[in-house]
Amino acid sequence: MSNVVDEIYLRARQIDPGIIDVFDAALVAMERHDSSEQLSQVALSCRRLLERVADALYPARSDEVDGRQMSQEKVHQ
């Protein structure tokens, strides 16, 4: 199992060098939360992490793809 985690970390760093820092911060916040407000901050950190992964894998663009708008403005509607 450790080899799988190592491989994920390695590939994630290749995509976006700072992404693991975001992931680690979310994990630490999850371990230390003691209120619903802190837990909502964990969820926000996870959302930012997912957005970063999505942007690294398939960045927003001004042109349409398969008839769908892929601009950054459309993503956040």
Side-chain angles (χ1 to χ4, degrees):
M1 183 68 151
S2 179
N3 290 338
V4 172
V5 173
D6 291 342
E7 186 69 22
I8 291 170
Y9 265 54
L10 177 64
R11 289 180 188 233
R13 281 199 192 280
Q14 290 172 344
I15 293 170
D16 180 346
I19 205 163
I20 297 302
D21 296 332
V22 175
F23 181 66
D24 288 341
L27 286 177
V28 168
M30 178 68 176
E31 291 172 353
R32 295 182 179 169
H33 86 279
D34 61 0
S35 71
S36 59
E37 181 60 31
Q38 289 174 337
L39 191 57
S40 70
Q41 289 299 316
V42 171
L44 181 59
S45 293
C46 290
R47 179 185 176 115
R48 288 183 182 143
L49 175 68
L50 290 172
E51 286 177 345
R52 216 161 154 167
V53 168
D55 288 342
L57 295 175
Y58 199 87
R61 53 196 74 200
S62 58
D63 54 325
E64 287 187 2
V65 176
D66 293 331
R68 294 184 176 145
Q69 293 182 2
M70 304 301 284
S71 67
Q72 192 66 26
E73 297 81 37
K74 242 351 193 181
V75 171
H76 292 288
Q77 285 184 347

